[in-house]
């Protein structure tokens, strides 16, 4: 890296403004810990790029859609995945697409992309439907639901079912689901930036290591079996283990990709499900509208493609789009400037950490009027995937490869749940808790069967 005193700053660019409220020595550590969402939502008023300080280390937060596109599209390769956060993530999920440097990403994405083609979505949709029915069949009228753990259970069920269809997993699935739960529970922002915490001899860390070993052993065995089988079972693993031309993912690359899809998708999907159910519990009219839409789709019968079913769920899709705007599960993620760079009219030095926050962008009133209001009707006539500033899945070459599957999962699962169940709010305050994902803290709902027999 070029020493600071020898570095030439980009011409014609200015240093980004620094956010107020920093403390001597600590910088902005205190507001980030006590009210990170409030801090992020306030930054766009200061400029397209704003400097925060953690101790003496400058960090630059991207606060405009143009600046976000500049970093994510990354045509000059000025930004990459690096620093403590990604180093620790790699120690957890390996060098999958979510964590690997961008130089490796293009090849991994090309080889894994066939698993997420639109033509395979109908099969995944049927699998998701089966898993929703399996979970909700255990629910009872009048039951109080601890929503986030239930939605995590659903996400784990659906993830395993769409990943592995070669055989029935049998009794081992309970242990695998528990291992994933332990693994996901272990991940927090603090552990991502302070990896030494994972090496302490605590009971929690021992459970985490045991769960990690179980998952890796299971994946290695399944990869070997899929290689030997060579059959397309209509699942993700079949595609991950298939050669594409003269190239294919190595066993380690398949394992890292599977870990990324399983662990990265489970928490984000569970959090999205939970926020969506919370919002519908607050609005009887909207809940009824989604339920009516779901009933109409159910009358279509079997044999329809996922695309056709999704087309018949416009209000449900809008609810999901608005959940991903107002409470984007992946609320912040970092990049590192690998060269001196210019973002808009602001200069960012090589080696600086750059934070992208969908939360900050999604709460800009110039992009989304009354941003704190939950308003799915704002999406009438708009495609969220083509809307400036809507970035729950990122953008550019590192955009989440499974975004189409994730959006379909959220939409179909919500419709299937609401078709049969009305979830009523309990008198407990619900607030967003920024952990590794933006979780609803304290969310419990009371189940009411919509059409009791």
């Amino acid at each position: 890296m070029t020493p600071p005193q020898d570095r030439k700053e980009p011409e014609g660019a200015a240093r980004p403004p620094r956010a107020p409220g920093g403390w001597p020595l600590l910088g902005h550590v205190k507001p980030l810990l006590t009210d990170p969402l409030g801090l992020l939502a306030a930054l766009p008023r200061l400029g397209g790029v704003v400097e925060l300080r953690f101790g003496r280390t400058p960090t630059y937060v991207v606060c405009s859609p143009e600046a976000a596109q500049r970093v994510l599209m990354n045509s000059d390769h000025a930004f990459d995945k690096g620093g403590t956060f990604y180093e620790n993530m790699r120690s957890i999920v390996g060098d999958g697409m979510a964590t690997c440097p961008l130089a490796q990403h293009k090849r991994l994405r090309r080889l894994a992309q066939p698993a997420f083609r639109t033509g395979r979505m109908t099969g995944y949709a049927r699998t998701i439907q089966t898993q929703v029915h399996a979970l909700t069949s255990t629910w009872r009228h009048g039951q109080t639901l601890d929503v986030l753990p239930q939605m995590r259970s659903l996400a784990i069920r659906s993830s395993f079912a769409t990943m592995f269809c070669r055989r029935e997993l049998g009794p081992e699935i309970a242990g695998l689901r528990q291992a994933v739960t332990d693994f996901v529970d272990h991940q927090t922002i603090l552990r991502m930036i302070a990896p030494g915490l994972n090496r302490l001899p605590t009971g929690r860390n021992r459970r985490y290591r045991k769960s990690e070993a179980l998952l890796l052993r299971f994946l290695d065995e399944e990869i070997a079996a899929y290689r030997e089988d060579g059959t397309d079972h209509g699942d993700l693993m079949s595609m991950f283990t298939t050669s594409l031309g003269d190239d294919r993912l190595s066993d380690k690359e398949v394992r890292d990709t599977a870990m990324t899809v399983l662990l990265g998708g489970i928490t984000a999907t569970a959090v999205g499900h939970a926020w969506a159910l919370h919002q519908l519990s607050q609005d009887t009219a909207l809940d009824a509208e989604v339920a009516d839409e779901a009933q109409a789709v159910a009358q279509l019968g079997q044999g329809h493609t996922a695309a056709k079913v999704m087309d018949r769920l416009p209000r449900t899709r809008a609810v999901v789009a608005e959940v991903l705007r107002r409470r984007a599960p992946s609320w912040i993620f970092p990049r590192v400037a690998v060269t001196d760079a210019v973002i808009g009219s602001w200069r960012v030095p090589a080696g600086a950490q750059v934070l992208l926050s969908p939360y900050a962008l999604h709460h800009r009133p110039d992009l989304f009027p009354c941003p704190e209001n939950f308003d799915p009707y704002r999406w009438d006539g708009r495609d969220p995937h083509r809307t400036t500033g809507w970035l729950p899945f990122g953008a550019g070459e590192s955009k989440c490869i499974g975004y189409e599957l994730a959006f379909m999962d959220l939409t179909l699962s919500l419709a299937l749940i609401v078709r049969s169940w009305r979830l009523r709010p309990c008198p407990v305050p619900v607030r967003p808790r920024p952990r590794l994902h933006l979780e609803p803290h304290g969310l419990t709902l009371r189940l009411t069967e919509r059409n009791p027999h």
Side-chain angles (χ1 to χ4, degrees):
M1 186 181 298
T2 305
Q5 63 268 26
D6 298 332
R7 186 186 297 130
K8 292 183 179 180
E9 299 290 1
E11 296 181 3
R15 178 178 175 176
R18 184 181 299 177
W23 287 30
L25 300 181
L26 291 176
H28 296 89
V29 169
K30 185 175 185 290
L32 188 71
L33 291 176
T34 57
D35 185 19
L37 301 182
L39 173 66
L40 290 170
L43 294 181
R45 294 194 292 268
L46 303 176
V49 180
V50 179
E51 179 186 321
L52 296 178
R53 282 197 170 258
F54 305 110
R56 295 183 177 182
T57 305
T59 294
Y60 299 92
V61 183
V62 172
C63 299
S64 74
E66 296 79 15
Q69 288 292 327
R70 162 73 180 93
V71 175
L72 292 170
M73 301 308 289
N74 199 26
S75 58
D76 58 354
H77 307 290
F79 303 95
D80 208 338
K81 299 172 184 177
T84 302
F85 180 90
Y86 281 109
E87 289 170 7
N88 199 37
M89 283 293 290
R90 287 174 192 134
S91 73
I92 296 169
V93 298
D95 270 327
M97 280 174 287
T99 55
C100 71
L102 294 177
Q104 302 172 27
H105 184 274
K106 186 174 183 179
R107 173 179 169 274
L108 292 181
R109 191 180 188 95
R110 177 177 63 84
L111 293 174
Q113 189 67 59
F116 299 96
R117 286 175 179 161
T118 300
R120 299 185 72 86
M121 291 297 151
T122 298
Y124 299 152
R126 295 192 186 105
T127 299
I128 289 166
Q129 180 178 8
T130 298
Q131 298 308 313
V132 172
H133 287 320
L135 177 70
T136 57
S137 66
T138 67
W139 293 358
R140 296 294 178 264
H141 180 81
Q143 177 184 348
T144 297
L145 209 64
D146 190 353
V147 177
L148 187 55
Q150 285 283 309
M151 293 303 101
R152 185 179 293 157
S153 176
L154 175 58
I156 291 171
R157 284 173 175 270
S158 295
S159 294
F160 270 102
T162 54
M163 181 77 72
F164 308 104
C165 293
R166 183 182 66 87
R167 64 181 177 90
E168 290 291 334
L169 294 179
E172 67 197 292
I173 189 61
L176 291 167
R177 288 171 180 162
Q178 186 58 53
V180 171
T181 300
D182 293 341
F183 207 94
V184 168
D185 279 342
H186 192 77
Q187 311 313 325
T188 65
I189 285 288
L190 183 59
R191 288 177 180 273
M192 292 300 102
I193 63 177
L197 293 176
N198 292 325
R199 294 190 288 270
L200 295 176
T202 65
R204 184 175 183 179
N205 282 344
R206 284 192 290 272
R207 286 194 302 274
Y208 161 68
R209 293 301 176 195
K210 184 177 179 181
S211 296
E212 178 185 45
L214 175 63
L215 286 172
L216 293 180
R217 184 169 60 251
F218 168 76
L219 287 174
D220 288 343
E221 291 170 355
E222 284 300 303
I223 290 166
Y226 272 84
R227 296 281 200 211
E228 183 178 356
D229 185 317
T231 302
D232 182 0
H233 297 279
D235 56 7
L236 292 168
M237 187 56 72
S238 294
M239 292 292 95
F240 293 160
T241 53
T242 298
S243 297
L244 190 61
D246 296 329
D247 198 4
R248 73 174 189 179
L249 296 171
S250 69
D251 287 357
K252 182 181 183 304
E253 288 170 338
V254 172
R255 188 175 77 176
D256 291 349
T257 299
M259 286 286 279
T260 299
V261 172
L262 280 174
L263 302 175
I266 283 169
T267 305
T269 303
V271 167
H273 283 318
W275 279 120
L277 292 174
H278 168 66
Q279 293 297 161
L280 291 184
S281 75
Q282 304 292 309
D283 190 330
T284 302
L286 180 61
D287 173 79
E289 195 173 351
V290 170
D292 289 345
E293 199 171 71
Q295 291 284 4
V297 167
Q299 294 171 8
L300 288 175
Q302 301 296 318
H304 296 285
T305 65
K308 183 172 183 180
V309 172
M310 290 288 284
D311 284 343
R312 299 292 185 96
L313 296 170
R315 183 60 61 223
T316 313
R317 294 200 319 269
V319 169
V320 170
E322 184 68 349
V323 164
L324 295 177
R325 180 201 67 81
R326 187 167 179 260
R327 299 295 187 221
S330 298
W331 58 288
I332 194 167
F333 55 93
R335 290 289 186 270
V336 170
V338 295
T339 65
D340 290 337
V342 174
I343 304 176
S345 59
W346 309 107
R347 68 173 184 259
V348 173
Q353 179 169 256
V354 178
L355 295 180
L356 294 107
S357 173
Y359 186 91
L361 294 173
H362 294 175
H363 286 74
R364 286 183 59 127
D366 57 330
L367 298 176
F368 304 100
C370 304
E372 270 303 319
N373 291 349
F374 185 83
D375 180 15
Y377 302 97
R378 74 171 79 238
W379 298 105
D380 288 354
R382 297 172 68 185
D383 181 353
H385 300 283
R386 299 178 181 273
T387 298
T388 299
W390 189 82
L391 295 172
F393 300 107
E397 59 187 1
S398 61
K399 183 176 182 177
C400 173
I401 192 173
Y403 80 90
E404 184 180 356
L405 175 57
F407 196 89
M408 182 185 73
D409 186 342
L410 288 166
T411 303
L412 294 183
S413 297
L414 183 61
L416 288 166
I417 291 170
V418 173
R419 189 178 77 193
S420 300
W421 297 95
R422 171 86 170 94
L423 289 91
R424 302 183 182 280
C426 296
V428 178
V430 177
R431 58 181 177 82
R433 181 170 63 175
R435 302 185 72 199
L436 194 57
H437 293 86
L438 189 58
E439 300 178 357
H441 181 62
L443 177 57
T444 56
L445 297 172
R446 189 172 300 280
L447 290 170
T448 300
E449 199 167 0
R450 200 175 291 274
N451 298 305
H453 301 296

